[in-house]
Amino acid sequence: MSSSLWRARKADLIWKDWGEELRVVYDVASGDTHALDRLSSEVVDLLQEGSLTGQQLVSRLARGLRVPPFDLMRQVEDLLPRLDRLGLIDPVS
Amino acid sequence: MKFGDLSLAERIRCFRRGTAWRTGPYVVHARVPIRFAARHLAWLYQDFEVLPHEVIPDAEISVRVAGFAWRRVSIFSDGAVRYRRVARQQLVPLLEWTMNLSVFHRPTQNLLIHAAVVEKAGEAVLLPGEAGSGKSTLCAALVHRGWRLLSDEVAVIRPSDGYLLPVPRPVSLKEGAIEALREFAPTACLGPVWPRTAKGRVAHVLPPTASVQRMDEPAGPAWIVFPQFRPGAGCQLEPLGKADTLLHCAGNAFNYSVLGRQGFKTLAAVIDICSGYELVFDDLEAAVRTLESLHGRRDAGLAVSGGAWS
């Protein structure tokens, strides 16, 4: 897994959680609305707290979700560029 | 005084010279100096109150005729030409579309969703959908089973409390929906069929008198049902998650992005108190029965008073 640092692109996100599989996030700056699954929303949540590498993200998510880190590595690796394309996160250069 | 209180000749004269009426929060003024079209509007709006001339309209529609040829007929709204060279059979449908566009495309703080809305026992169902989804047909059918018509075209959601503001207008049916409604409700007050419009054959259903009389009574949203008419599919009602319901509604909204944060908060609060469904149907009777059964399934505590606005 790459050691690039990632951060949430915007602080101004409004979350709506109905306790279902999908959470909705409204990006105030772009006006876009996204439905994110639990893992995606946890990633954006964590990156809103501060910049993290993919490995740091996996380790924090694994603790929070109580799953082995190895199970999450591939998912997080796929997820980061997708969230980048949605404009929710970006790599720290 | 309603248009229906006037003699037919007086009613037609009103529309030919220009007259105003109110539908929910909107005042419309129309001037249609062509007899058959004025007569048709006089019939469609018979239950609406005639407003005094000094009232300032939100939307101003007019038909202008240059010379005698039909190709010289144009429709204007708010002073700008909307349609030129209007053919005779297209005039009334285009006037109705122009009224919809003029009224619903105005800047407003209310959240506007492309949806039909009907209400029964204080609980409203939104039927969002694109043209061809069957929302107008379903709306007209429900209205003929005792549901109140709030709107055939646009759900107007007040952000302060999430209530739906009625905007009762004629229901526009297209193509096979005309015969489907005639079969479903043989006593339905349907106007003439206008052939060869841009949307095919079109006919208008008279808005029920009771719905027009209650245009100042908002209703609380209870269900959001996305209809999809699909021949051969039977009738299936499937629950939809809240997130998907919100995204589908946002996709059907006219001014969600314009309202920004307020639009999201209003919509999310409506979704809080509503149950979302997808309804695939190929039979009007079965679809109406299915929607009527929702009343019995309503969860306690989901009333508007218990929602995000309380």
Side-chain angles (χ1 to χ4, degrees), chain B residues 80-99:
Chain B
V81 65
R82 296 294 170 212
Y83 298 101
R84 290 181 198 277
R85 296 178 180 175
V86 176
R88 181 185 166 91
Q89 75 273 7
Q90 294 184 341
L91 181 56
V92 170
L94 286 179
L95 278 169
E96 281 296 302
W97 291 328
T98 304
M99 282 182 217

Side-chain angles (χ1 to χ4, degrees), chain B residues 1-294:
Chain B
M1 181 178 54
K2 296 176 189 172
F3 287 110
D5 296 330
L6 302 170
S7 70
L8 180 61
E10 285 172 325
R11 261 190 269 172
I12 294 172
R13 198 176 308 124
C14 272
F15 280 92
R16 292 184 77 173
R17 290 180 177 174
T19 189
W21 68 96
R22 184 171 65 85
T23 174
Y26 303 104
V27 172
V28 181
H29 182 278
R31 183 173 172 277
V32 183
I34 294 178
R35 187 176 170 79
F36 86 90
R39 183 187 177 115
H40 188 71
L41 293 182
W43 176 74
L44 280 177
Y45 294 97
Q46 59 185 273
D47 288 317
F48 290 74
E49 297 281 336
V50 187
L51 294 181
H53 284 292
E54 58 269 24
V55 172
I56 297 170
D58 296 291
E60 201 153 11
I61 317 296
S62 62
V63 171
R64 297 184 198 172
V65 187
F68 297 101
W70 263 102
R71 287 189 164 276
R72 302 280 176 82
V73 171
S74 302
I75 298 176
F76 286 72
S77 74
D78 302 321
V81 65
R82 296 294 170 212
Y83 298 101
R84 290 181 198 277
R85 296 178 180 175
V86 176
R88 181 185 166 91
Q89 75 273 7
Q90 294 184 341
L91 181 56
V92 170
L94 286 179
L95 278 169
E96 281 296 302
W97 291 328
T98 304
M99 282 182 217
N100 275 340
L101 287 174
S102 301
V103 163
F104 295 125
H105 285 213
R106 310 193 80 74
T108 174
Q109 291 302 306
N110 297 321
L111 177 62
L112 306 180
I113 296 175
H114 190 197
V117 187
V118 291
E119 172 265 346
K120 199 180 226 184
E123 296 181 318
V125 55
L126 283 80
L127 302 164
E130 296 298 320
S133 63
K135 71 174 162 45
S136 292
T137 322
L138 206 45
C139 168
L142 287 163
V143 163
H144 286 88
R145 286 288 161 84
W147 291 65
R148 173 163 68 112
L149 172 70
L150 271 76
S151 177
D152 158 47
E153 194 64 22
V154 176
V156 181
I157 303 173
R158 190 164 61 188
S160 59
D161 58 10
Y163 270 76
L164 293 152
L165 305 182
V167 193
R169 296 191 18 77
V171 179
S172 170
L173 297 181
K174 296 158 206 91
E175 297 289 353
I178 300 167
E179 285 72 34
L181 185 73
R182 280 199 179 125
E183 190 181 326
F184 179 86
T187 57
C189 288
L190 266 159
V193 177
W194 306 103
R196 299 190 301 280
T197 77
K199 299 183 182 181
R201 292 181 306 127
V202 170
H204 298 104
V205 183
L206 196 69
T209 304
S211 299
V212 176
Q213 285 172 342
R214 296 176 61 194
M215 69 164 74
D216 292 321
E217 289 179 37
W223 305 279
I224 301 174
V225 180
F226 296 89
Q228 189 59 61
F229 175 72
R230 198 177 299 156
C235 184
Q236 298 160 50
L237 185 73
E238 296 290 339
L240 196 61
K242 299 266 189 192
D244 284 326
T245 304
L246 186 143
L247 289 185
H248 287 7
C249 282
N252 279 289
F254 290 123
N255 63 344
Y256 172 76
S257 53
V258 175
L259 295 177
R261 184 193 302 257
Q262 185 60 52
F264 175 75
K265 287 187 168 176
T266 301
L267 185 53
V270 167
I271 306 292
D272 273 344
I273 55 171
C274 284
S275 307
Y277 295 93
E278 282 180 321
L279 174 68
V280 176
F281 71 101
D282 65 356
D283 175 70
L284 211 43
E285 184 68 51
V288 167
R289 259 202 319 272
T290 302
L291 287 181
E292 297 225 284
S293 74
L294 284 175

Side-chain angles (χ1 to χ4, degrees), chain A residues 12 14 16 18 20 26 33 35, chain B residues 242-243 247 256 260-261 272:
Chain A
D12 209 356
I14 306 175
K16 187 70 192 176
W18 286 285
E20 297 177 342
Y26 179 73
T33 310
Chain B
K242 299 266 189 192
L247 289 185
Y256 172 76
R261 184 193 302 257
D272 273 344

